[in-house]
Amino acid sequence: MKILILGGYGVFGGRLAELLADMPGLDLYICGRDLGRAERFCAAYRGVARVHPHLLDRRDIGPALADLRPDLVVDASGPFQDYGADGYRVVEACIAAKVDYLDLADGADFVFGIDRFDAAAKAAGIFILSGVSSFPALTGAVLREMAKTMDIRSVEGGIAPSPFAGIGLNVMRAVVGYAGAPVKLRRGGKDGHGIGLAESLRYTVAVPGRLPLRNIHFSLVDVPDLQLIPRARPALTDIWMGAGPVPEILHRILNLLAKARALFHLPSLEPLSRLFYAVLNRMRFGEHRGGMFIRARGLDGGNMVERSWHLLAEGDDGPYIPSMAIEAIVRKLRAGDRPAAGARSSVDALTLADYDALFDGRSIHTGFRSEEPGAPLYRQILGTAFDALPQQLRLLHGSGTERRWQGHAEVRRGTGLLARLAAAIVGFPKAADRVPVTVVFTPEKHGERWTRDFGGRRFASLQSRGTGRNDYLLVERFGPLCFAMALVVEDGRLHLVPRRWSAFGIPMPRWLMPDGASFETEVDGAFRFDVEIAAPLVGLIVAYRGSLASA
């Protein structure tokens, strides 16, 4: 099977070639306007698929199809927003040569207009699929799954790439080009527009039971979903899609420039794209993790509900996701599963099961959430991961009524002056090899109060579900100190991982945040806890571990 990849050595085309590296019998033609880059890419390529460098400008696609006779053309070049009046040259050449076509177009108007070639593609017996990427292929798969249980009325979504993912110059040109310009979307039940990169929201991507991303600043981007999803779902009243690139300071500078362009009717910011490209690809710090979310509101049995889908990608796996939709189609082609002839967007091209097969074996995790305001605290935060907890943990955290658990614990204390002072302020117990413990859990309006008694020495905290930047985190308050912790389920343990903290309502630096390995688990049918609290410059403050049983 011969596949011609326009932009084959670029960010998305190169990653697609890597994803197909394990497929024998593939000939990948790595095409572009820089033969040297194509040759260097092919020289460094590792895999059983065969790669061939080829000098090709998309304007000369017709003769190349006659010469190379590929089975499939993939356009991974772009920016599709800049293709102009002759934007569909590659599509028309493929129809004339009767060659199947896929692209990773992110230009909304380009993808929305692909239907005009439907009759010609059917007559040629080929498929033309546009926008075969996360937006809208993955979005469409998620919404079809959600639509099985609700009548969707509004949709919000966003992609947050890892700061180490890198971004192509053509992508940056496209994004900076529409910053401050009108972006077509559905709003208030009517076709309207927003302002690219001038509208923002914050959201926490949190797969149930996994360490969530930090709360991300997303801004409106011009993606095909904004026009395609409303066409597929006439009852939809609102749709919004954003991107959350980091570092946030650079993102906010682009927000200000977009607002200035819209307010003062300035020309396109595209001349600044090389500057942003250079800076963004050098400012690589923070967690090497990325994610995506889709949040839908709608009706279920006449009741308004909110449901969301979350994706987390660890390390180097995330940057491959935009190219995985084409990988899936290529693998299905090799298995004899061919898309129907015709020209259309990719919004219905794949299912979540197709994506799950690609995510398997990678550090990519997904999950759905449903808002349950009346559920017990830990179930609200953990979602479906609550059911994966050991039985004793479900018993302790699964009730919304007052309850009392008793047991024994071993306590260790830090010996430094600052450690002793911090322990005394909170009221932590003194060191002991074995001390009786009683914990009373008392529901309150905004959470659940934990009153701990270690051999007559009592201290209490209030636990609640985080909001705003602490969304999907457990917030525990000790007097003026608040700690926002992620609940992570792994290997039969519930880990409490500190993520943010504040004192007297003022956010405090992360490098000063108290930390320590703390978890709950079940051993031989008994609830076990292991808590360690330490702090930079202070060291160990207190650590206690033991067991509890319902009284």
Side-chain angles (χ1 to χ4, degrees), residues 14-66:
R15 288 170 182 162
L16 173 62
E18 293 178 36
L19 290 171
L20 301 176
D22 66 327
M23 298 182 66
L26 281 189
D27 284 279
L28 306 178
Y29 289 87
I30 307 301
C31 301
R33 292 178 294 181
D34 189 330
L35 182 59
R37 290 184 63 186
E39 289 174 337
R40 289 191 295 273
F41 179 89
C42 292
Y45 188 78
R46 297 292 180 269
V48 297
R50 295 180 293 271
V51 291
H52 313 275
H54 196 81
L55 179 64
L56 178 61
D57 188 300
R58 62 185 309 276
R59 291 174 296 183
D60 302 319
I61 186 66
L65 294 181

Side-chain angles (χ1 to χ4, degrees), residues 193-494:
H193 73 271
I195 303 299
L197 294 176
E199 302 178 10
S200 302
L201 62 78
R202 300 198 72 93
Y203 195 80
T204 299
V205 178
V207 173
R210 297 281 176 176
L211 183 70
L213 292 185
R214 300 194 186 279
N215 187 255
I216 299 290
H217 176 80
F218 292 88
S219 295
L220 178 66
V221 290
D222 187 17
V223 292
D225 311 56
L226 297 176
Q227 297 184 50
L228 294 172
I229 301 299
R231 181 170 66 180
R233 302 188 177 280
L236 195 74
T237 62
D238 295 88
I239 186 167
W240 192 97
M241 292 288 166
V246 289
E248 188 171 318
I249 181 63
L250 189 66
H251 185 167
R252 288 190 174 275
I253 290 173
L254 192 51
N255 289 153
L256 290 174
L257 291 173
K259 291 177 181 179
R261 179 189 176 189
L263 180 62
F264 299 110
H265 306 288
L266 300 176
S268 172
L269 302 175
E270 187 174 349
L272 299 176
S273 58
R274 281 193 176 274
L275 174 62
F276 276 94
Y277 167 76
V279 174
L280 188 64
N281 282 294
R282 284 169 174 78
M283 296 182 68
R284 299 185 178 187
F285 53 84
E287 298 178 330
H288 191 8
R289 316 171 69 224
M292 178 177 176
F293 80 93
I294 299 294
R295 177 169 61 184
R297 297 181 179 93
L299 298 174
D300 181 3
N303 299 314
M304 184 61 67
V305 296
E306 178 181 312
R307 290 175 184 145
S308 57
W309 174 86
H310 302 247
L311 178 150
L312 284 172
E314 307 285 355
D316 292 329
D317 282 336
Y320 287 91
I321 294 175
S323 300
M324 284 184 175
I326 291 184
E327 178 200 1
I329 292 175
V330 170
R331 293 186 184 277
K332 289 162 74 79
L333 278 170
R334 290 292 296 270
D337 186 356
R338 179 181 172 80
R344 57 196 177 276
S345 79
S346 69
V347 70
D348 294 321
L350 297 171
T351 66
L352 274 186
D354 293 324
Y355 272 102
D356 289 340
L358 299 176
F359 296 161
D360 187 38
R362 295 181 177 272
S363 296
I364 301 174
H365 313 283
T366 65
F368 285 94
R369 286 182 173 273
S370 296
E371 292 302 308
E372 301 177 78
L377 175 61
Y378 277 58
R379 180 176 283 279
Q380 288 186 47
I381 298 170
L382 283 169
T384 54
F386 185 88
D387 297 324
L389 293 175
Q391 181 182 23
Q392 289 298 312
L393 275 65
R394 296 198 308 271
L395 286 174
L396 187 145
H397 295 297
S399 173
T401 61
E402 181 170 302
R403 54 213 185 274
R404 177 187 299 265
W405 285 53
Q406 296 177 329
H408 293 84
E410 170 196 345
V411 182
R412 293 183 294 116
R413 284 276 295 268
T415 57
L417 176 61
L418 291 177
R420 295 199 306 271
L421 179 62
I425 292 173
V426 177
F428 287 137
K430 295 181 178 180
D433 292 333
R434 183 176 173 86
V435 62
V437 178
T438 299
V439 184
V440 178
F441 308 90
T442 307
E444 296 190 3
K445 181 178 180 181
H446 298 295
E448 185 173 77
R449 184 167 298 279
W450 287 35
T451 304
R452 306 162 179 88
D453 187 317
F454 283 72
R457 190 172 184 89
R458 301 177 62 190
F459 67 100
S461 65
L462 179 65
Q463 294 189 357
S464 60
R465 174 176 172 171
T467 58
R469 296 199 180 198
N470 293 331
D471 202 14
Y472 295 120
L473 299 178
L474 175 73
V475 175
E476 186 161 22
R477 177 184 291 275
F478 293 89
L481 302 179
C482 276
F483 302 91
M485 298 172 288
L487 301 182
V488 179
V489 181
E490 187 175 15
D491 298 329
R493 291 180 172 182
L494 175 61

